[in-house]
Amino acid sequence: MSFLHNKNIVLGITGGIAAYKSLSLVRRLKDQGANVRVVMTDAAQEFIRPLSFQALSGNAVHLSLLDAEAEAAMGHIELARWADLIVIAPATANSMARLANGQADDLLTTLCLASKAPLAIAPAMNQAMWSNSVTQQNRQTLVDRGAVILGPASGEQACGDVGEGRMLEADEIVEQIEPLFNLQALSGVRVLVTAGPTREAIDPVRYISNHSSGKMGYAIAQAALEAGASVELVSGPCALVANDRISRTDVESAKEMQQVVLQHIEQVDIFIAVAAVADYRPKQVSGQKIKKQADKMNIELIKNPDILASVAGLQHRPFCVGFAAETEKLEQHARLKLEAKQLDMIVANRVDQSDGGFNSDYNSATVIWAGGQHVFEKTSKSRLATDLVRLIAEHYTI
Ligand code: C5P
């Protein structure tokens, strides 16, 4: 599976003849499983109709900062948060100059300024414009700020000149951006992730569970894989598909989850417990479906084992990261759990947000460890997972 699978890519098209190549770029990105949203500048629309990009990307094309209707559907700040990566292809000399200057006078430049996502730029321009020292200075400024420059290639140009300035082909762009998601910060490290809810049986057809979708845990497992780790995923019931390079074991109950985790734990360097494990389970599990009888019914619950605490309490324990889903006093509760469970780090997130927490594609988080803390603002779960794994990797190696 490609590292671009499930990644959110904003593709910015600026006004160059190479814009026609970006039609194939959208197709190649979609082939890799990426979600693509196209943003076009006014000049780009002189070369290609937005409808072509809409048809290929499967999403409405974003054209203007001042379009109230488009902003209501997905505003520029939301789009900036949605992006795991912004690719500008083709990038004209003018657009590079405007980006280098930090301008925000149209949708694309505003988006670049508002987004924390990495930026990849595929220049496309006449060879003299490319080699001009001003363009080279702008290129350097963008590189110094962390942008990745893709190409340009050399060869015959649309204007008849021959030289450097041709936009890379779609396949070459895909080849160069895929490794951006493969940062290798955990190269050779073995990571075990728990994800999803657990189900605690009442009888053969009923159970107690919670609203966890598994999205955050699967995103963490994917981000760890992309960082070079070998990843074991122990998953409660959920409808998600894991990357085929992740070794996954499906479980139902907390007890099963604990059993599988403990089977693997000796071979693990980092344990990240993202699962929303049910704290209690019915004391008795009926062998047959319980029949409707009295007006009232009591189910006696007993405490489940705390998987994370049991791992953190081992003599030879891995680096332990917990997740704390809270509805109030986020930091205070998380700090108590960090200490009580003797964790190396805890990721606290609110699960009462209108757009974030359980089931949402977005999340924010406060990460706390003995010597400090870090707040991650609301962003896509896959972006947040990449940032969290990077932070975990930094602390694991300290
Ligand atoms: O105590 P609380 O359930 O809020 O702690 C959350 C953290 O502990 C999560 O990382 C979760 O995966 C883990 N946990 C566990 N086993 C339990 C309960 C929670 O591993 N029975």
Side-chain angles (χ1 to χ4, degrees):
M1 200 183 278
S2 163
F3 285 120
L4 291 169
H5 185 80
N6 249 335
K7 289 292 176 297
N8 296 337
I9 298 188
V10 166
L11 176 59
I13 319 274
T14 69
I17 180 60
Y20 78 90
K21 290 190 191 175
S22 302
L23 292 170
S24 349
L25 179 55
V26 175
R27 295 202 58 169
R28 296 287 88 80
L29 291 171
K30 299 277 293 179
D31 289 347
Q32 304 288 312
N35 310 309
V36 183
R37 285 186 172 270
V38 174
V39 174
M40 296 180 81
T41 62
D42 290 347
Q45 295 167 54
E46 301 291 330
F47 290 90
I48 309 270
R49 308 277 302 153
L51 199 57
S52 307
F53 284 109
Q54 180 176 318
L56 289 172
S57 68
N59 286 312
V61 174
H62 303 258
L63 300 173
S64 164
L65 191 56
L66 305 174
D67 178 345
E69 209 176 297
E71 280 289 297
M74 191 187 228
H76 64 281
I77 297 297
E78 211 180 335
L79 195 55
R81 282 185 187 141
W82 177 84
D84 293 318
L85 173 70
I86 300 177
V87 182
I88 304 185
T92 58
N94 178 47
S95 61
M96 286 179 68
R98 289 166 57 239
L99 286 168
N101 274 317
Q103 274 175 242
D105 52 3
D106 67 359
L107 178 58
L108 184 58
T109 47
T110 305
L111 204 68
C112 290
L113 216 52
S115 183
K116 293 202 171 104
L119 177 63
I121 296 172
M125 66 196 74
N126 165 270
Q127 51 83 24
M129 291 171 81
W130 174 250
S131 58
N132 191 303
S133 61
V134 180
T135 306
Q136 288 306 312
Q137 259 172 29
N138 290 334
R139 181 191 61 80
Q140 194 56 51
T141 305
L142 290 166
V143 168
D144 292 346
R145 263 189 236 138
V148 176
I149 308 291
L150 313 166
S154 223
E156 199 172 323
Q157 301 203 300
C159 54
D161 280 7
V162 176
E164 218 178 351
R166 281 168 58 95
M167 186 170 104
L168 294 186
E169 300 303 320
D171 286 338
E172 295 170 310
I173 292 179
V174 169
E175 236 168 67
Q176 292 194 21
I177 61 176
E178 197 199 358
L180 298 179
F181 291 104
N182 182 11
L183 300 169
Q184 302 301 317
L186 290 179
S187 179
V189 176
R190 299 160 303 175
V191 174
L192 176 63
V193 179
T194 61
T198 63
R199 280 182 188 167
E200 310 300 330
I202 297 170
D203 68 18
V205 295
R206 303 182 181 95
Y207 56 80
I208 295 172
S209 190
N210 58 61
H211 289 297
S212 169
S213 61
K215 284 177 184 169
M216 197 64 225
Y218 276 61
I220 291 278
Q222 176 68 22
L225 180 78
E226 289 169 10
S230 60
V231 182
E232 200 79 46
L233 175 66
V234 184
S235 173
C238 62
L240 301 174
V241 179
N243 192 305
D244 51 20
R245 280 176 278 171
I246 291 173
S247 148
R248 165 178 161 180
T249 310
D250 290 327
V251 296
E252 290 256 334
S253 67
K255 270 170 58 181
E256 274 173 46
M257 186 174 271
Q258 185 187 38
Q259 209 178 358
V260 176
V261 165
L262 292 178
Q263 266 166 20
H264 289 97
I265 209 68
E266 274 185 26
Q267 285 83 46
V268 166
D269 303 306
I270 300 179
F271 177 47
I272 311 178
V274 196
V277 183
D279 291 324
Y280 293 90
R281 67 177 185 277
K283 187 174 179 191
Q284 302 286 345
V285 181
S286 168
Q288 301 299 327
K289 185 180 172 193
I290 300 169
K291 291 291 171 202
K292 189 169 28 182
Q293 283 166 348
D295 285 348
K296 275 192 182 174
M297 178 183 165
N298 291 317
I299 299 174
E300 194 182 347
L301 301 177
I302 54 168
K303 219 172 191 179
N304 264 329
D306 191 311
I307 305 169
L308 178 56
S310 65
V311 169
L314 292 172
Q315 204 182 358
H316 297 290
R317 55 173 253 172
F319 186 89
C320 289
V321 183
F323 270 64
E326 304 292 346
T327 55
E328 56 165 0
K329 298 184 185 154
L330 187 78
E331 248 188 76
Q332 194 183 330
H333 287 165
R335 245 175 229 293
L336 287 175
K337 277 178 200 170
L338 181 79
E339 282 158 28
K341 300 196 190 199
Q342 295 182 289
L343 307 180
D344 295 292
M345 278 184 134
I346 192 148
V347 181
N349 69 295
R350 294 191 74 104
V351 285
D352 59 339
Q353 312 170 77
S354 58
D355 186 20
F358 283 154
N359 244 317
S360 167
D361 289 328
Y362 296 86
N363 215 351
S364 56
T366 302
V367 186
I368 303 172
W369 59 94
Q373 70 175 64
H374 188 91
V375 177
F376 291 104
E377 300 296 342
K378 189 170 128 185
T379 184
S380 72
K381 282 188 174 170
S382 73
R383 184 81 217 282
L384 180 63
T386 307
D387 291 342
L388 286 172
V389 164
R390 206 168 294 161
L391 190 67
I392 291 169
E394 276 170 26
H395 284 265
Y396 170 65
T397 49
I398 282 171

PDB file of all heavy atoms in Angstrom, residues 194-199 209-218 235-240 257 274-278 325 351 357-360 381:
ATOM      1  N   THR A 194      -2.735  -0.392  20.318  1.00  0.00           N
ATOM      2  CA  THR A 194      -4.099  -0.914  20.462  1.00  0.00           C
ATOM      3  C   THR A 194      -5.047   0.144  19.911  1.00  0.00           C
ATOM      4  O   THR A 194      -4.768   1.344  20.012  1.00  0.00           O
ATOM      5  CB  THR A 194      -4.483  -1.212  21.932  1.00  0.00           C
ATOM      6  OG1 THR A 194      -4.419   0.011  22.678  1.00  0.00           O
ATOM      7  CG2 THR A 194      -3.568  -2.250  22.549  1.00  0.00           C
ATOM      8  N   ALA A 195      -6.141  -0.304  19.310  1.00  0.00           N
ATOM      9  CA  ALA A 195      -7.057   0.651  18.682  1.00  0.00           C
ATOM     10  C   ALA A 195      -8.501   0.172  18.792  1.00  0.00           C
ATOM     11  O   ALA A 195      -8.758  -1.019  18.971  1.00  0.00           O
ATOM     12  CB  ALA A 195      -6.690   0.819  17.214  1.00  0.00           C
ATOM     13  N   GLY A 196      -9.413   1.131  18.659  1.00  0.00           N
ATOM     14  CA  GLY A 196     -10.839   0.807  18.600  1.00  0.00           C
ATOM     15  C   GLY A 196     -11.449   0.583  19.973  1.00  0.00           C
ATOM     16  O   GLY A 196     -10.795   0.745  21.008  1.00  0.00           O
ATOM     17  N   PRO A 197     -12.699   0.187  19.990  1.00  0.00           N
ATOM     18  CA  PRO A 197     -13.385  -0.080  21.261  1.00  0.00           C
ATOM     19  C   PRO A 197     -13.177  -1.543  21.658  1.00  0.00           C
ATOM     20  O   PRO A 197     -12.579  -2.309  20.902  1.00  0.00           O
ATOM     21  CB  PRO A 197     -14.856   0.126  20.887  1.00  0.00           C
ATOM     22  CG  PRO A 197     -14.930  -0.337  19.456  1.00  0.00           C
ATOM     23  CD  PRO A 197     -13.587  -0.037  18.825  1.00  0.00           C
ATOM     24  N   THR A 198     -13.622  -1.927  22.830  1.00  0.00           N
ATOM     25  CA  THR A 198     -13.768  -3.363  23.113  1.00  0.00           C
ATOM     26  C   THR A 198     -15.256  -3.632  23.302  1.00  0.00           C
ATOM     27  O   THR A 198     -16.037  -2.705  23.554  1.00  0.00           O
ATOM     28  CB  THR A 198     -12.993  -3.811  24.367  1.00  0.00           C
ATOM     29  OG1 THR A 198     -13.529  -3.132  25.501  1.00  0.00           O
ATOM     30  CG2 THR A 198     -11.511  -3.542  24.230  1.00  0.00           C
ATOM     31  N   ARG A 199     -15.629  -4.878  23.124  1.00  0.00           N
ATOM     32  CA  ARG A 199     -17.023  -5.283  23.333  1.00  0.00           C
ATOM     33  C   ARG A 199     -17.060  -6.285  24.467  1.00  0.00           C
ATOM     34  O   ARG A 199     -16.324  -7.266  24.430  1.00  0.00           O
ATOM     35  CB  ARG A 199     -17.567  -5.967  22.077  1.00  0.00           C
ATOM     36  CG  ARG A 199     -17.981  -5.000  21.020  1.00  0.00           C
ATOM     37  CD  ARG A 199     -18.548  -5.765  19.855  1.00  0.00           C
ATOM     38  NE  ARG A 199     -18.779  -4.851  18.758  1.00  0.00           N
ATOM     39  CZ  ARG A 199     -19.045  -5.242  17.516  1.00  0.00           C
ATOM     40  NH1 ARG A 199     -19.099  -6.537  17.224  1.00  0.00           N
ATOM     41  NH2 ARG A 199     -19.254  -4.348  16.578  1.00  0.00           N
ATOM     42  N   SER A 209     -20.330  -1.495  24.921  1.00  0.00           N
ATOM     43  CA  SER A 209     -19.176  -0.966  24.185  1.00  0.00           C
ATOM     44  C   SER A 209     -19.163   0.557  24.264  1.00  0.00           C
ATOM     45  O   SER A 209     -19.817   1.133  25.134  1.00  0.00           O
ATOM     46  CB  SER A 209     -19.226  -1.452  22.731  1.00  0.00           C
ATOM     47  OG  SER A 209     -18.020  -1.149  22.076  1.00  0.00           O
ATOM     48  N   ASN A 210     -18.431   1.210  23.395  1.00  0.00           N
ATOM     49  CA  ASN A 210     -18.387   2.677  23.384  1.00  0.00           C
ATOM     50  C   ASN A 210     -18.269   3.185  21.953  1.00  0.00           C
ATOM     51  O   ASN A 210     -18.221   2.397  21.009  1.00  0.00           O
ATOM     52  CB  ASN A 210     -17.233   3.183  24.259  1.00  0.00           C
ATOM     53  CG  ASN A 210     -15.906   2.621  23.788  1.00  0.00           C
ATOM     54  OD1 ASN A 210     -15.481   2.859  22.667  1.00  0.00           O
ATOM     55  ND2 ASN A 210     -15.264   1.840  24.648  1.00  0.00           N
ATOM     56  N   HIS A 211     -18.207   4.516  21.799  1.00  0.00           N
ATOM     57  CA  HIS A 211     -18.280   5.118  20.464  1.00  0.00           C
ATOM     58  C   HIS A 211     -16.955   5.163  19.708  1.00  0.00           C
ATOM     59  O   HIS A 211     -16.878   5.775  18.645  1.00  0.00           O
ATOM     60  CB  HIS A 211     -18.806   6.552  20.564  1.00  0.00           C
ATOM     61  CG  HIS A 211     -20.248   6.630  20.920  1.00  0.00           C
ATOM     62  ND1 HIS A 211     -21.239   6.123  20.123  1.00  0.00           N
ATOM     63  CD2 HIS A 211     -20.872   7.154  22.002  1.00  0.00           C
ATOM     64  CE1 HIS A 211     -22.411   6.327  20.683  1.00  0.00           C
ATOM     65  NE2 HIS A 211     -22.212   6.943  21.835  1.00  0.00           N
ATOM     66  N   SER A 212     -15.897   4.568  20.231  1.00  0.00           N
ATOM     67  CA  SER A 212     -14.604   4.665  19.536  1.00  0.00           C
ATOM     68  C   SER A 212     -14.706   4.074  18.131  1.00  0.00           C
ATOM     69  O   SER A 212     -15.220   2.970  17.941  1.00  0.00           O
ATOM     70  CB  SER A 212     -13.537   3.916  20.346  1.00  0.00           C
ATOM     71  OG  SER A 212     -12.382   3.789  19.563  1.00  0.00           O
ATOM     72  N   SER A 213     -14.187   4.827  17.145  1.00  0.00           N
ATOM     73  CA  SER A 213     -14.259   4.373  15.747  1.00  0.00           C
ATOM     74  C   SER A 213     -12.985   3.635  15.345  1.00  0.00           C
ATOM     75  O   SER A 213     -12.943   2.979  14.308  1.00  0.00           O
ATOM     76  CB  SER A 213     -14.420   5.585  14.825  1.00  0.00           C
ATOM     77  OG  SER A 213     -13.290   6.432  14.964  1.00  0.00           O
ATOM     78  N   GLY A 214     -11.920   3.798  16.127  1.00  0.00           N
ATOM     79  CA  GLY A 214     -10.627   3.204  15.773  1.00  0.00           C
ATOM     80  C   GLY A 214      -9.782   4.120  14.883  1.00  0.00           C
ATOM     81  O   GLY A 214      -8.617   3.829  14.625  1.00  0.00           O
ATOM     82  N   LYS A 215     -10.364   5.239  14.431  1.00  0.00           N
ATOM     83  CA  LYS A 215      -9.649   6.088  13.449  1.00  0.00           C
ATOM     84  C   LYS A 215      -8.313   6.602  13.981  1.00  0.00           C
ATOM     85  O   LYS A 215      -7.322   6.597  13.266  1.00  0.00           O
ATOM     86  CB  LYS A 215     -10.523   7.285  13.056  1.00  0.00           C
ATOM     87  CG  LYS A 215     -11.646   6.927  12.101  1.00  0.00           C
ATOM     88  CD  LYS A 215     -12.505   8.137  11.808  1.00  0.00           C
ATOM     89  CE  LYS A 215     -13.698   7.764  10.924  1.00  0.00           C
ATOM     90  NZ  LYS A 215     -14.678   8.849  10.836  1.00  0.00           N
ATOM     91  N   MET A 216      -8.294   7.057  15.243  1.00  0.00           N
ATOM     92  CA  MET A 216      -7.050   7.615  15.782  1.00  0.00           C
ATOM     93  C   MET A 216      -5.992   6.520  15.907  1.00  0.00           C
ATOM     94  O   MET A 216      -4.834   6.719  15.527  1.00  0.00           O
ATOM     95  CB  MET A 216      -7.333   8.276  17.146  1.00  0.00           C
ATOM     96  CG  MET A 216      -6.249   9.215  17.609  1.00  0.00           C
ATOM     97  SD  MET A 216      -6.083  10.635  16.510  1.00  0.00           S
ATOM     98  CE  MET A 216      -4.318  10.701  16.355  1.00  0.00           C
ATOM     99  N   GLY A 217      -6.391   5.351  16.414  1.00  0.00           N
ATOM    100  CA  GLY A 217      -5.430   4.248  16.591  1.00  0.00           C
ATOM    101  C   GLY A 217      -4.864   3.781  15.256  1.00  0.00           C
ATOM    102  O   GLY A 217      -3.653   3.541  15.134  1.00  0.00           O
ATOM    103  N   TYR A 218      -5.734   3.651  14.248  1.00  0.00           N
ATOM    104  CA  TYR A 218      -5.263   3.216  12.932  1.00  0.00           C
ATOM    105  C   TYR A 218      -4.342   4.273  12.322  1.00  0.00           C
ATOM    106  O   TYR A 218      -3.353   3.946  11.662  1.00  0.00           O
ATOM    107  CB  TYR A 218      -6.451   2.917  12.003  1.00  0.00           C
ATOM    108  CG  TYR A 218      -7.018   1.525  12.191  1.00  0.00           C
ATOM    109  CD1 TYR A 218      -7.549   1.131  13.417  1.00  0.00           C
ATOM    110  CD2 TYR A 218      -7.004   0.591  11.161  1.00  0.00           C
ATOM    111  CE1 TYR A 218      -8.058  -0.141  13.623  1.00  0.00           C
ATOM    112  CE2 TYR A 218      -7.505  -0.700  11.345  1.00  0.00           C
ATOM    113  CZ  TYR A 218      -8.034  -1.059  12.573  1.00  0.00           C
ATOM    114  OH  TYR A 218      -8.521  -2.326  12.761  1.00  0.00           O
ATOM    115  N   SER A 235      -6.554  -4.749  17.424  1.00  0.00           N
ATOM    116  CA  SER A 235      -7.716  -3.917  17.152  1.00  0.00           C
ATOM    117  C   SER A 235      -9.010  -4.500  17.698  1.00  0.00           C
ATOM    118  O   SER A 235      -9.315  -5.670  17.469  1.00  0.00           O
ATOM    119  CB  SER A 235      -7.840  -3.740  15.628  1.00  0.00           C
ATOM    120  OG  SER A 235      -9.035  -3.083  15.310  1.00  0.00           O
ATOM    121  N   GLY A 236      -9.763  -3.650  18.387  1.00  0.00           N
ATOM    122  CA  GLY A 236     -11.134  -3.989  18.747  1.00  0.00           C
ATOM    123  C   GLY A 236     -11.991  -3.903  17.491  1.00  0.00           C
ATOM    124  O   GLY A 236     -11.504  -3.481  16.436  1.00  0.00           O
ATOM    125  N   PRO A 237     -13.272  -4.288  17.585  1.00  0.00           N
ATOM    126  CA  PRO A 237     -14.116  -4.327  16.386  1.00  0.00           C
ATOM    127  C   PRO A 237     -14.319  -2.944  15.768  1.00  0.00           C
ATOM    128  O   PRO A 237     -14.790  -2.029  16.422  1.00  0.00           O
ATOM    129  CB  PRO A 237     -15.459  -4.855  16.918  1.00  0.00           C
ATOM    130  CG  PRO A 237     -15.174  -5.401  18.264  1.00  0.00           C
ATOM    131  CD  PRO A 237     -13.994  -4.684  18.802  1.00  0.00           C
ATOM    132  N   CYS A 238     -13.917  -2.784  14.522  1.00  0.00           N
ATOM    133  CA  CYS A 238     -14.204  -1.544  13.788  1.00  0.00           C
ATOM    134  C   CYS A 238     -14.090  -1.832  12.293  1.00  0.00           C
ATOM    135  O   CYS A 238     -13.549  -2.867  11.898  1.00  0.00           O
ATOM    136  CB  CYS A 238     -13.286  -0.399  14.214  1.00  0.00           C
ATOM    137  SG  CYS A 238     -11.558  -0.686  13.914  1.00  0.00           S
ATOM    138  N   ALA A 239     -14.612  -0.903  11.511  1.00  0.00           N
ATOM    139  CA  ALA A 239     -14.749  -1.185  10.072  1.00  0.00           C
ATOM    140  C   ALA A 239     -13.557  -0.687   9.255  1.00  0.00           C
ATOM    141  O   ALA A 239     -13.665  -0.522   8.052  1.00  0.00           O
ATOM    142  CB  ALA A 239     -16.035  -0.521   9.577  1.00  0.00           C
ATOM    143  N   LEU A 240     -12.415  -0.454   9.897  1.00  0.00           N
ATOM    144  CA  LEU A 240     -11.301   0.158   9.169  1.00  0.00           C
ATOM    145  C   LEU A 240     -10.364  -0.896   8.573  1.00  0.00           C
ATOM    146  O   LEU A 240     -10.301  -2.023   9.051  1.00  0.00           O
ATOM    147  CB  LEU A 240     -10.504   1.057  10.115  1.00  0.00           C
ATOM    148  CG  LEU A 240     -11.306   2.189  10.752  1.00  0.00           C
ATOM    149  CD1 LEU A 240     -10.475   2.922  11.783  1.00  0.00           C
ATOM    150  CD2 LEU A 240     -11.788   3.168   9.681  1.00  0.00           C
ATOM    151  N   MET A 257      -7.913  -8.558  24.420  1.00  0.00           N
ATOM    152  CA  MET A 257      -6.930  -7.557  24.002  1.00  0.00           C
ATOM    153  C   MET A 257      -5.687  -7.659  24.892  1.00  0.00           C
ATOM    154  O   MET A 257      -4.547  -7.659  24.409  1.00  0.00           O
ATOM    155  CB  MET A 257      -7.540  -6.155  24.060  1.00  0.00           C
ATOM    156  CG  MET A 257      -6.640  -5.076  23.507  1.00  0.00           C
ATOM    157  SD  MET A 257      -7.451  -3.465  23.417  1.00  0.00           S
ATOM    158  CE  MET A 257      -8.188  -3.497  21.799  1.00  0.00           C
ATOM    159  N   VAL A 274      -4.050   3.207  22.305  1.00  0.00           N
ATOM    160  CA  VAL A 274      -5.058   4.165  21.830  1.00  0.00           C
ATOM    161  C   VAL A 274      -6.467   3.620  22.043  1.00  0.00           C
ATOM    162  O   VAL A 274      -7.438   4.350  22.027  1.00  0.00           O
ATOM    163  CB  VAL A 274      -4.836   4.504  20.327  1.00  0.00           C
ATOM    164  CG1 VAL A 274      -5.593   5.767  19.944  1.00  0.00           C
ATOM    165  CG2 VAL A 274      -3.362   4.684  19.994  1.00  0.00           C
ATOM    166  N   ALA A 275      -6.572   2.314  22.247  1.00  0.00           N
ATOM    167  CA  ALA A 275      -7.895   1.692  22.349  1.00  0.00           C
ATOM    168  C   ALA A 275      -8.715   2.296  23.485  1.00  0.00           C
ATOM    169  O   ALA A 275      -8.179   2.658  24.536  1.00  0.00           O
ATOM    170  CB  ALA A 275      -7.739   0.193  22.575  1.00  0.00           C
ATOM    171  N   ALA A 276     -10.006   2.401  23.241  1.00  0.00           N
ATOM    172  CA  ALA A 276     -10.941   2.805  24.292  1.00  0.00           C
ATOM    173  C   ALA A 276     -11.442   1.513  24.929  1.00  0.00           C
ATOM    174  O   ALA A 276     -12.450   0.947  24.509  1.00  0.00           O
ATOM    175  CB  ALA A 276     -12.086   3.611  23.698  1.00  0.00           C
ATOM    176  N   VAL A 277     -10.675   1.053  25.891  1.00  0.00           N
ATOM    177  CA  VAL A 277     -10.980  -0.243  26.513  1.00  0.00           C
ATOM    178  C   VAL A 277     -12.124  -0.065  27.513  1.00  0.00           C
ATOM    179  O   VAL A 277     -12.098   0.872  28.318  1.00  0.00           O
ATOM    180  CB  VAL A 277      -9.729  -0.777  27.267  1.00  0.00           C
ATOM    181  CG1 VAL A 277      -9.997  -2.152  27.849  1.00  0.00           C
ATOM    182  CG2 VAL A 277      -8.514  -0.789  26.354  1.00  0.00           C
ATOM    183  N   ALA A 278     -13.115  -0.950  27.452  1.00  0.00           N
ATOM    184  CA  ALA A 278     -14.225  -0.850  28.401  1.00  0.00           C
ATOM    185  C   ALA A 278     -13.680  -1.083  29.810  1.00  0.00           C
ATOM    186  O   ALA A 278     -12.934  -2.046  30.039  1.00  0.00           O
ATOM    187  CB  ALA A 278     -15.282  -1.894  28.070  1.00  0.00           C
ATOM    188  N   ALA A 325      -9.110  10.043  26.956  1.00  0.00           N
ATOM    189  CA  ALA A 325     -10.279  10.717  26.390  1.00  0.00           C
ATOM    190  C   ALA A 325     -11.035  11.347  27.541  1.00  0.00           C
ATOM    191  O   ALA A 325     -11.471  10.646  28.455  1.00  0.00           O
ATOM    192  CB  ALA A 325     -11.144   9.690  25.667  1.00  0.00           C
ATOM    193  N   VAL A 351     -13.354  14.512  24.170  1.00  0.00           N
ATOM    194  CA  VAL A 351     -14.250  13.740  23.314  1.00  0.00           C
ATOM    195  C   VAL A 351     -15.653  14.340  23.307  1.00  0.00           C
ATOM    196  O   VAL A 351     -16.586  13.740  22.837  1.00  0.00           O
ATOM    197  CB  VAL A 351     -14.310  12.254  23.736  1.00  0.00           C
ATOM    198  CG1 VAL A 351     -13.065  11.531  23.309  1.00  0.00           C
ATOM    199  CG2 VAL A 351     -14.528  12.110  25.236  1.00  0.00           C
ATOM    200  N   GLY A 357     -12.597  14.246  18.332  1.00  0.00           N
ATOM    201  CA  GLY A 357     -12.824  13.149  19.259  1.00  0.00           C
ATOM    202  C   GLY A 357     -13.401  11.943  18.554  1.00  0.00           C
ATOM    203  O   GLY A 357     -13.152  11.721  17.372  1.00  0.00           O
ATOM    204  N   PHE A 358     -14.186  11.155  19.290  1.00  0.00           N
ATOM    205  CA  PHE A 358     -14.731   9.899  18.755  1.00  0.00           C
ATOM    206  C   PHE A 358     -15.377  10.086  17.382  1.00  0.00           C
ATOM    207  O   PHE A 358     -16.169  11.006  17.183  1.00  0.00           O
ATOM    208  CB  PHE A 358     -15.794   9.335  19.698  1.00  0.00           C
ATOM    209  CG  PHE A 358     -15.204   8.657  20.906  1.00  0.00           C
ATOM    210  CD1 PHE A 358     -15.929   8.574  22.083  1.00  0.00           C
ATOM    211  CD2 PHE A 358     -13.941   8.096  20.876  1.00  0.00           C
ATOM    212  CE1 PHE A 358     -15.412   7.931  23.202  1.00  0.00           C
ATOM    213  CE2 PHE A 358     -13.405   7.453  21.991  1.00  0.00           C
ATOM    214  CZ  PHE A 358     -14.144   7.382  23.149  1.00  0.00           C
ATOM    215  N   ASN A 359     -15.072   9.184  16.475  1.00  0.00           N
ATOM    216  CA  ASN A 359     -15.734   9.095  15.175  1.00  0.00           C
ATOM    217  C   ASN A 359     -15.410  10.193  14.167  1.00  0.00           C
ATOM    218  O   ASN A 359     -15.648  10.035  12.989  1.00  0.00           O
ATOM    219  CB  ASN A 359     -17.257   9.046  15.356  1.00  0.00           C
ATOM    220  CG  ASN A 359     -17.753   7.714  14.858  1.00  0.00           C
ATOM    221  OD1 ASN A 359     -17.305   7.260  13.797  1.00  0.00           O
ATOM    222  ND2 ASN A 359     -18.629   7.087  15.610  1.00  0.00           N
ATOM    223  N   SER A 360     -14.890  11.325  14.665  1.00  0.00           N
ATOM    224  CA  SER A 360     -14.601  12.432  13.750  1.00  0.00           C
ATOM    225  C   SER A 360     -13.311  12.134  12.973  1.00  0.00           C
ATOM    226  O   SER A 360     -12.510  11.295  13.363  1.00  0.00           O
ATOM    227  CB  SER A 360     -14.425  13.699  14.573  1.00  0.00           C
ATOM    228  OG  SER A 360     -13.864  14.709  13.780  1.00  0.00           O
ATOM    229  N   LYS A 381      -6.950  13.652  11.677  1.00  0.00           N
ATOM    230  CA  LYS A 381      -6.358  12.637  12.559  1.00  0.00           C
ATOM    231  C   LYS A 381      -5.077  12.082  11.964  1.00  0.00           C
ATOM    232  O   LYS A 381      -4.155  11.732  12.696  1.00  0.00           O
ATOM    233  CB  LYS A 381      -7.376  11.518  12.826  1.00  0.00           C
ATOM    234  CG  LYS A 381      -8.415  11.917  13.859  1.00  0.00           C
ATOM    235  CD  LYS A 381      -9.323  10.788  14.292  1.00  0.00           C
ATOM    236  CE  LYS A 381     -10.222  11.275  15.431  1.00  0.00           C
ATOM    237  NZ  LYS A 381     -11.298  10.345  15.775  1.00  0.00           N
TER     238      LYS A 381
END
